[in-house]
Amino acid sequence: MNKKQYSKFLEDKEKAHLVKLIGALTTLESNIVNILSQAPIQDGKLFDLSWAVNARTQVFQSMEVMLGDMSEQFGGLTEVNENLLSLLGDTGAFTQIPSEAISGLIDITFAGFEEIANSYGDEISKQMYQMTLTNTTQAEATQVIRGKINGVYQTSDKDEIESLVELVNTTTDEAIRQKAINRLHSAYGADKLGNNLRRYASTYVRDATSQYSRASSMAMAREAGIQKWEYFGDTEKDTRDFCRSMLGRVMTEDEIREKWSSESWQGKSDGDPFIVCGGYNCKHEWLPVFEN
């Protein structure tokens, strides 16, 4: 396997995770809205605080189902190690890292996703209680909860909104996708892309595969006693200036860490420079360079 093939593998892996996430969040939305549909109402409004307290358990049970689905998806990250070894094994004395280390890396990677999901489970439960306390209508509460989970991608009983959401979820044409999103925002005021579970979970899932790959690469390189690294990847229209300036450069670990700590750029994220590279949604890698 060469570098281009490995990048394509990571890209395909990321897309598979996102497809799985979309399905899992759609099911989660349906399950939690079903919980809300069973709430006692008076004149179409929520009122029963005992129900709201007990609903928290049901919300987290629904979250556990979603987490179970995604846990299986994250388990497939073992393929990253196999392909990474195929890439690096052609260039030097690299070996597979121990199975317990692989399991540990997967657990750590999934833990970040689990934390996001559980924080939203808590937020959704609190919001349901608050809406019950203020006698929000069941219809309005349902719309709020849908938006809290999937934002602009929430399901709806309005045919055009449903069609637009389906288009956004399935089209591969970015221009068409953006037009559909704009229509949802402007014509229907469908919940903005701000504070919702899908936004943060999607960002995490997009980064998870790349960051797992980088962590595995670092572990293999430690075993092989690597001293130098090459910044690798493609450029796109939105590639950060930092990444453009680094592509193809070979540096020692000390040089990399010094540059990382001494510079700032838009989108830079916290963490180890070998793991987060250029920042959020970065597709580049520090690949170990084996010297004979």
Side-chain angles (χ1 to χ4, degrees), residues 152 178 180-193:
V152 74
Q178 193 57 54
I181 291 175
N182 292 340
R183 173 68 176 163
L184 284 165
H185 284 165
S186 61
Y188 294 102
D191 193 82
K192 303 300 184 288
L193 283 173

Side-chain angles (χ1 to χ4, degrees), residues 23-208:
L25 291 181
T26 299
T27 300
L28 176 69
E29 179 186 327
S30 176
N31 288 341
I32 294 184
V33 166
N34 184 56
I35 295 168
L36 193 54
S37 72
Q38 298 173 29
I41 57 174
Q42 290 179 344
D43 299 324
K45 298 179 179 180
L46 303 175
F47 74 93
D48 191 332
L49 292 177
S50 294
W51 169 86
V53 170
N54 292 330
R56 178 183 177 85
T57 298
Q58 293 177 280
V59 167
F60 274 94
Q61 287 173 344
S62 296
M63 281 289 180
E64 284 299 318
V65 172
M66 187 271 290
L67 286 170
D69 289 342
M70 291 307 296
S71 176
E72 293 180 13
Q73 195 71 18
F74 275 79
L77 287 173
T78 52
E79 294 177 26
V80 172
N81 300 88
E82 296 164 6
N83 283 275
L84 184 59
L85 184 60
S86 176
L87 168 66
L88 299 178
D90 291 336
T91 61
F94 292 92
T95 59
Q96 181 70 279
I97 58 177
S99 59
E100 60 269 22
I102 293 175
S103 297
L105 282 174
I106 291 175
D107 288 345
I108 290 171
T109 304
F110 181 69
F113 179 85
E114 190 173 27
E115 183 178 349
I116 293 171
N118 285 332
S119 69
Y120 269 87
D122 187 57
E123 191 170 337
I124 288 167
S125 299
K126 288 179 180 178
Q127 198 153 27
M128 288 171 68
Y129 183 87
Q130 290 166 355
M131 289 189 294
T132 303
L133 186 65
T134 56
N135 300 128
T136 302
T137 66
Q138 192 175 47
E140 182 182 350
T142 298
Q143 187 73 4
V144 168
I145 294 304
R146 288 191 188 279
K148 181 60 65 176
I149 296 170
N150 276 314
V152 74
Y153 305 99
Q154 63 194 271
T155 57
S156 170
D157 58 3
K158 294 181 180 179
D159 290 342
E160 187 181 4
I161 291 182
E162 192 66 32
S163 295
L164 288 168
V165 168
E166 178 68 16
L167 183 61
V168 167
N169 285 339
T170 58
T171 184
T172 58
D173 188 316
E174 185 58 31
I176 293 176
R177 180 177 177 275
Q178 193 57 54
K179 186 176 180 180
I181 291 175
N182 292 340
R183 173 68 176 163
L184 284 165
H185 284 165
S186 61
Y188 294 102
D191 193 82
K192 303 300 184 288
L193 283 173
N195 185 20
N196 59 75
L197 174 57
R198 178 159 171 166
R199 178 189 177 191
Y200 291 103
S202 294
T203 297
Y204 187 86
V205 165
R206 278 195 298 270
D207 287 344

Side-chain angles (χ1 to χ4, degrees), residues 1-10 80 84 87 213:
M1 175 172 282
N2 59 39
K3 293 177 182 178
K4 291 286 186 180
Q5 290 170 329
Y6 185 67
S7 291
K8 180 64 165 57
F9 160 74
L10 291 180
V80 172
L84 184 59
L87 168 66
S213 170

